Amino acid sequence: MKRLVFAVLAVCLVAIPALAQEGHPLKGSWLGTWAGNKTLGNDVVVVMTWDGKSITGTINPGTDNIAIKSATLNPEGWLVHIEADAKDKAGSPISYTIDGKIENLPLANRVVTGTWKDNKGGTGAFKIGRQ
Amino acid sequence: MIMPSRAALLRVLRSVFVFFVAASVTLIAHHEPLAKFDDKKPVTLTGVVSLLDWRNPHVHVFMNVKSGTGELVNWAIELESPIELEESGWSHDTLHPGDKISVEGMAARNGSHQAWGKSVVLAATGRKILFASVSPPPMPLAPHPTPRWPDGQPRLGAGAQGRQGYWAFPSATALVENGVNAPMDAWGLLKNIADAPKVAPMQPWALKLYTERQQRFLQDDPMYLNCKPPGGPRQFQLQPGLQLVEDRTRQRIFVLIGSGNNNYRIIYTDGRSHQGQVGGDDENPLFYGRSVAKWEGETLVADTRGFNEDFWFTNGGLPHTDQLKLIEKISRPNYDTLKYDLTVDDPGAYTRPWSASWTLRWVADKEMPRHLCQENRS
């Protein structure tokens, strides 16, 4: 069921052409993969916003609904750091840390590439593109 | 069967070659020349005109130039738009295939045989041609009084008795905080990138983004790349100018622009709030935001908010967010001058509110030139 919801969400996001977003570079909906994530699956959707002081958002809205605990953007190198706490299938807490870098910054279809890891030894490549 | 002569065949082949070269020239909408050409790579070319391509967004002269090895190389010389050249007295008849010309300019950044023509000289006469020389109308020795409606309110648009005109020649063509000295070109490109932090009180991410846009010579400007509207104060800094059409019956002012995609902004003066129209713009941030205004003495004070983030709100690429609020104070101290005072309040991109001011000149009895950006070309 979760995969179906994700697939529908992904189709909806892909069907919407990427709009130029000339404001804060992280704001918007992002779709991509965190490879090897056995708990939540390979596919990931991240929605982020910027209120002028902090970045907030949700990972996999509608399915996992993981609130972003903290997120930062270092303009020097456009480095992204995201932390979020979720629960695994058994209901145990699991913490995620994502470190990446914005590429193609001037373009509407910019991407964040990097790595994800959790506190249980899971890790892998992370890549999301702005929709 | 009649076989064409070798000369005729060569003429046909040359025409085909020129056509394909012309078709392959990158058509970027009317843009900052430095986005495409490098002022550190000056070129001087002498050759024979093969084609004059007189069309938007830029006029191109194609010329055959003999290289050092004796080969003929076809160069594409990019010039201003037909509108600016026609305003300066030139036409598609100014130059013809076969004319010998000398060109001074700057070469394309990508190393192709393209150059921006700073100077084109017709060899036969030594006459400099195809340069833009549009200048503001001279100010009268004594300023004419502000035109007024019968109730005494200043007229911001056309004068009485149906006299037409428009506002152009802004005294500043990019936003810079009042009191700051940060020299720029007409497109908002800083002469010295080290001045970037002085331009406005930007948050770190906004400063870095602005600096990178500048370092890319503004080539990502969505107004030129995608014909996106020049929301906010940018309307008042466009070189082709704008018109203010006051509809007093319906209590609104239309801001019409002579460039971009020629869409318009409405400033409501009927006392309404910022509430959008249900089912319309109530939830949608807009390119021009929602503007409501009232008169405070001689000054129209417009309060605008509800912007989207899909455009650049200023020449030069200062960033903004959807938290942007603008207070614009517009007045007409005399017939020929429009005064524009702006306060930018965007806590998403700036560390504090800041202000900028400039004036525009009235161009009397003329139609506003219309550059039209569509299908990503202007």
Side-chain angles (χ1 to χ4, degrees):
Chain A
M1 180 64 186
K2 181 182 156 187
R3 293 189 69 82
L4 178 64
V5 171
F6 185 89
V8 170
L9 184 59
V11 166
C12 290
L13 287 173
V14 168
I16 300 168
L19 296 172
Q21 202 288 107
E22 307 289 345
H24 190 278
L26 281 182
K27 186 177 172 183
S29 301
W30 302 74
L31 180 65
T33 55
W34 40 9
N37 189 328
K38 291 176 182 160
T39 305
L40 300 176
N42 274 333
D43 300 321
V44 64
V45 175
V46 184
V47 179
M48 288 181 276
T49 191
W50 166 250
D51 65 3
K53 291 180 179 169
S54 58
I55 300 160
T56 54
T58 307
I59 297 173
N60 290 346
T63 53
D64 302 307
N65 287 318
I66 305 166
I68 291 175
K69 186 169 73 175
S70 71
T72 58
L73 174 64
N74 181 354
E76 293 306 323
W78 297 111
L79 303 176
V80 180
H81 178 82
I82 299 172
E83 294 179 13
D85 293 336
K87 288 188 176 172
D88 64 16
K89 288 166 187 163
S92 304
I94 184 167
S95 299
Y96 288 101
T97 303
I98 298 161
D99 283 292
K101 174 182 168 61
I102 302 179
E103 294 174 1
N104 298 333
L105 182 76
L107 306 180
N109 58 348
R110 65 183 73 113
V111 296
V112 174
T113 58
T115 56
W116 69 271
K117 63 181 180 182
D118 63 29
N119 60 342
K120 297 185 176 179
T123 187
F126 182 86
K127 182 174 183 178
I128 51 174
R130 195 180 171 282
Q131 304 304 303
Chain B
M1 183 178 175
I2 300 170
M3 293 295 289
S5 69
R6 180 183 165 82
L9 197 58
L10 280 174
R11 275 200 301 275
V12 170
L13 285 174
R14 189 174 297 149
S15 299
V16 170
F17 172 75
V18 167
F19 172 81
F20 279 104
V21 169
S24 68
V25 170
T26 308
L27 289 167
I28 298 178
H30 197 57
H31 56 86
E32 155 70 272
L34 293 179
K36 185 174 171 184
F37 302 97
D38 188 345
D39 58 356
K40 308 272 189 312
K41 292 199 277 187
V43 289
T44 301
L45 301 165
T46 299
V48 176
V49 174
S50 55
L51 180 75
L52 176 61
D53 189 19
W54 193 269
R55 60 175 162 167
N56 279 321
H58 288 275
V59 169
H60 284 85
V61 175
F62 294 89
M63 62 187 293
N64 288 324
V65 178
K66 201 171 273 187
S67 72
T69 60
E71 278 182 273
L72 280 184
V73 177
N74 194 265
W75 277 78
I77 310 301
E78 189 164 315
L79 302 168
E80 297 287 358
S81 73
I83 292 173
E84 283 154 326
L85 293 179
E86 283 164 13
E87 280 273 302
S88 305
W90 311 111
S91 75
H92 60 277
D93 277 334
T94 301
L95 200 60
H96 300 95
D99 287 342
K100 190 175 178 187
I101 56 172
S102 293
V103 173
E104 288 185 7
M106 49 185 174
R109 293 186 184 279
N110 64 7
S112 62
H113 290 133
Q114 297 182 64
W116 176 262
K118 290 181 173 176
S119 163
V120 180
V121 174
L122 195 57
T125 61
R127 186 183 182 207
K128 189 178 171 192
I129 56 173
L130 298 174
F131 57 89
S133 60
V134 182
S135 55
M139 281 293 272
L141 292 176
H144 296 126
T146 304
R148 295 182 185 277
W149 293 98
D151 62 5
Q153 185 180 292
R155 298 178 74 122
L156 295 177
Q161 289 89 44
R163 288 193 65 189
Q164 292 303 308
Y166 64 99
W167 296 107
F169 303 105
S171 59
T173 54
L175 278 189
V176 183
E177 185 171 25
N178 282 337
V180 169
N181 180 25
M184 300 175 180
D185 71 8
W187 306 84
L189 190 67
L190 284 164
K191 301 283 187 192
N192 182 357
I193 193 67
D195 286 339
K198 298 195 305 189
V199 173
M202 287 170 266
Q203 291 194 17
W205 72 266
L207 173 59
K208 189 74 165 79
L209 186 56
Y210 173 68
T211 303
E212 291 191 8
R213 287 173 176 174
Q214 288 276 324
Q215 288 170 329
R216 288 172 58 82
F217 305 101
L218 312 178
Q219 63 182 274
D220 307 306
D221 188 341
M223 190 176 87
Y224 300 118
L225 277 184
N226 310 113
C227 300
K228 292 290 178 73
R234 194 170 185 182
Q235 280 190 309
F236 288 80
Q237 293 189 313
L238 297 173
Q239 294 174 52
L242 73 142
Q243 282 182 314
L244 297 173
V245 180
E246 296 165 281
D247 182 346
R248 302 193 94 206
T249 305
R250 300 169 71 203
Q251 295 182 284
R252 61 195 63 182
I253 298 170
F254 295 89
V255 184
L256 313 179
I257 53 175
S259 56
N261 54 13
N262 277 220
N263 54 17
Y264 58 89
R265 165 189 172 195
I266 302 176
I267 301 174
Y268 293 101
T269 56
D270 56 3
R272 71 176 64 193
S273 70
H274 278 105
Q275 191 77 31
Q277 296 168 358
V278 175
D281 60 355
D282 54 340
E283 295 292 341
N284 300 321
L286 307 170
F287 284 100
Y288 290 120
R290 282 182 285 277
S291 291
V292 298
K294 59 183 179 182
W295 283 91
E296 293 182 359
E298 297 282 291
T299 303
L300 182 75
V301 180
D303 180 338
T304 308
R305 53 191 75 177
F307 290 98
N308 68 33
E309 298 181 356
D310 297 345
F311 65 100
W312 289 9
F313 85 124
T314 170
N315 295 328
L318 283 175
H320 74 277
T321 71
D322 58 8
Q323 298 169 59
L324 176 66
K325 295 177 192 168
L326 301 177
I327 300 293
E328 297 161 285
K329 296 183 177 180
I330 304 168
S331 59
R332 190 173 190 172
N334 58 54
Y335 194 96
D336 297 291
T337 306
L338 190 77
K339 191 165 185 298
Y340 184 89
D341 297 299
L342 172 73
T343 299
V344 176
D345 183 4
D346 182 355
Y350 299 92
T351 58
R352 57 175 168 76
W354 55 283
S355 298
S357 304
W358 61 94
T359 57
L360 292 100
R361 291 291 313 281
W362 180 249
V363 182
D365 304 322
K366 289 182 81 171
E367 289 279 352
M368 182 169 59
R370 288 174 67 86
H371 300 247
L372 183 59
C373 189
Q374 57 182 11
E375 295 172 352
N376 303 342
R377 294 172 57 182
S378 68

